Amino acid sequence: IFKSIEAVFSKLGVESFGAKGDKFDPNLHNAVMHEENAEFGEGEISDVFQKGYKKGNKIIRFAMVKTAN
């Protein structure tokens, strides 16, 4: 089912974003937690609770993330 949904999203031009290790951007991400962690740099995403989705420049859903440092 998940692969079918990804295929449909791909056909519609919807792409996901918000991966672990990405730089936090308040225009794309919703930070719901923060931690001090030496493994990550300043403002990096340390965990992803929900992926974000966008079509072109329009945000469909913000990514829900935990940030570090």
Side-chain angles (χ1 to χ4, degrees):
I1 293 175
F2 182 71
K3 289 185 182 203
S4 298
I5 291 172
E6 284 184 326
V8 170
F9 280 176
S10 178
K11 287 179 185 176
L12 294 173
V14 175
E15 53 189 64
S16 65
F17 62 89
K20 192 173 182 177
D22 286 352
K23 188 78 171 165
F24 175 75
D25 181 357
N27 297 315
L28 300 174
H29 306 107
N30 182 18
V32 294
M33 295 179 82
H34 177 78
E35 69 176 339
E36 296 295 326
N37 190 335
E39 294 179 19
F40 296 97
E42 183 72 25
E44 275 188 45
I45 295 172
S46 61
D47 203 2
V48 179
F49 301 115
Q50 282 184 339
K51 284 184 180 180
Y53 293 96
K54 66 181 179 176
K55 181 174 182 179
N57 291 331
K58 184 171 174 112
I59 304 297
I60 296 171
R61 179 174 82 180
F62 291 92
M64 189 182 306
V65 299
K66 181 194 311 185
T67 59
N69 304 325

